[in-house]
Amino acid sequence: MAVPIFRASIPKPHPLIHSISSALSLTDETWKRKRLLSCCAASSELKPFRPELCFSVGTYLIPHPNKVEKGGEDAFFVSSYNGGVLAVADGVSGWAEQDVDPSLFPKELMANASNFVGDVEVNNDPQILIGKAHAYTSSIGSATVMIAMLERDGILKIANVGDCGLRVIREGKIKFSTSPQEHYFDCPYQLSSEIVGQTYQDAMVSNVELMEGDIIVMGSDGLFDNVFDHEIALTVAGYRDVAEAAKALANLANNHSLDSNFDSPYSMEARSRGFEPPLWKKILGMKLTGGKPDDITVIVGQVVSL
């Protein structure tokens, strides 16, 4: 995410004290793996019978073209806890100008969130989980973050700080969308190692009731800056396998991001904010177009019953 750092001052770097869990390993095998997130069934004689719900999940990550060697600056995890947990964090690349590795903060943040998923204090609340993970993150840097936790009764709890996104697709149509939070164009809300910045209390919180067969698409802004909602719904509809759907969406976003002629969601938003094309394009009567090269993380979850 090539955006400004929202901060006041830069403290001296200190070492990363928490190791990154194996669930965050960004290998091709992990990116492409399809996992069935199971959950325990708990019936009640006082309520009408309803199947317990959980996720079947596929993930895929494509680093920014200039960051392939180190794997990019996004981090994510999925967990089988309760009905399933999906999470993504997008490191702010502006920290590289301060000789800080922008990938360390989001990786540690996700590692801590993964470790605290079942914590009693968290109590199945993604907003509290963000807060606790942030409090235990010691790396210098900042990141946007989104965590979604599925209850076994089908309620999806979502907490978001910044411009990661989530879509709920039902019968081929977008039924729910999160909205980005930003200070100004291309500078989203972000958790930070700095005193000045956002906290879990600034998270946008949503609850969505899901049904069996619903599709969840979560991703970093590298997906939603380059792919329109109707493209997301159409692409997902073409695959029965969630891992293949995640891969297809990531590849579509990557192709759009490198196409200077594609009128992307990012370029359309830029024009609406008053940004203009380079002078040579203006002389030729051309408008501001093009995708946005970035790290692209895609998580696709299908709601299934046990």
Side-chain angles (χ1 to χ4, degrees):
M1 178 192 303
V3 301
I5 305 167
F6 193 73
R7 59 180 176 79
S9 61
I10 302 293
K12 293 182 179 179
H14 48 87
L16 179 70
I17 62 173
H18 294 287
S19 61
I20 305 303
S21 66
S22 59
L24 298 172
S25 175
L26 300 181
T27 63
D28 285 339
E29 182 177 333
T30 303
W31 298 338
K32 299 175 183 177
R33 186 186 308 161
K34 172 185 176 183
R35 306 175 188 170
L36 179 64
L37 303 182
S38 60
C39 54
C40 299
S43 61
S44 171
E45 296 179 358
L46 301 179
K47 297 180 181 180
F49 174 77
R50 178 178 178 177
E52 299 292 337
L53 301 177
C54 56
F55 282 135
S56 175
V57 177
T59 65
Y60 207 83
L61 188 153
I62 300 177
H64 186 289
N66 297 333
K67 303 171 187 178
V68 173
E69 289 187 2
K70 70 174 185 177
E73 295 160 1
D74 284 0
F76 69 90
F77 80 88
V78 297
S79 168
S80 61
Y81 181 77
N82 207 357
V85 182
L86 315 177
V88 62
D90 183 353
V92 175
S93 61
W95 283 97
E97 299 173 5
Q98 307 294 332
D99 294 325
V100 173
D101 184 348
S103 70
L104 296 182
F105 185 91
K107 286 180 179 178
E108 187 184 0
L109 182 69
M110 289 288 92
N112 289 334
S114 179
N115 290 335
F116 288 126
V117 159
D119 188 82
V120 175
E121 292 180 353
V122 170
N123 192 30
N124 301 325
D125 187 331
Q127 185 178 21
I128 301 301
L129 180 56
I130 287 175
K132 191 154 189 176
H134 187 200
Y136 278 79
T137 298
S138 62
S139 297
I140 303 300
S142 53
T144 62
V145 59
M146 173 178 284
I147 298 180
M149 307 180 77
L150 179 62
E151 296 285 349
R152 292 175 296 196
D153 62 359
I155 301 300
L156 184 68
K157 298 179 178 180
I158 307 162
N160 177 49
V161 178
D163 59 1
C164 293
L166 183 146
R167 305 289 186 266
V168 175
I169 302 172
R170 180 175 300 161
E171 297 179 348
K173 298 180 180 179
I174 303 289
K175 291 298 183 181
F176 173 82
S177 301
T178 56
S179 299
Q181 300 169 300
E182 60 181 13
H183 300 286
Y184 50 87
F185 180 66
D186 228 11
C187 184
Y189 281 22
Q190 52 199 256
L191 300 182
S192 177
S193 56
E194 303 297 286
I195 295 176
V196 177
Q198 283 65 62
T199 73
Y200 73 101
Q201 294 177 322
D202 296 301
M204 183 177 293
V205 177
S206 307
N207 290 338
V208 184
E209 185 173 358
L210 300 182
M211 300 171 56
E212 184 177 1
D214 285 351
I215 301 293
I216 310 302
V217 176
M218 177 188 284
S220 58
D221 66 329
L223 170 63
F224 299 102
D225 280 344
N226 291 298
V227 182
F228 291 97
D229 280 359
H230 71 271
E231 293 181 295
I232 292 175
L234 184 62
T235 300
V236 167
Y239 295 88
R240 300 186 65 179
D241 184 279
V242 287
E244 291 302 314
K247 179 180 178 180
L249 281 174
N251 284 329
L252 179 62
N254 187 53
N255 291 338
H256 284 343
S257 74
L258 303 176
D259 185 352
S260 60
N261 294 317
F262 178 64
D263 200 7
S264 66
Y266 181 80
S267 62
M268 291 180 65
E269 180 67 15
R271 290 200 305 273
S272 73
R273 301 295 185 95
F275 288 84
E276 297 183 350
L279 180 59
W280 68 269
K281 279 193 171 185
K282 293 183 67 175
I283 293 175
L284 295 175
M286 300 171 66
K287 64 182 180 180
L288 180 65
T289 59
K292 179 188 176 186
D294 203 350
D295 298 319
I296 299 165
T297 297
V298 180
I299 303 174
V300 177
Q302 183 175 22
V303 180
V304 297
S305 61
L306 293 179

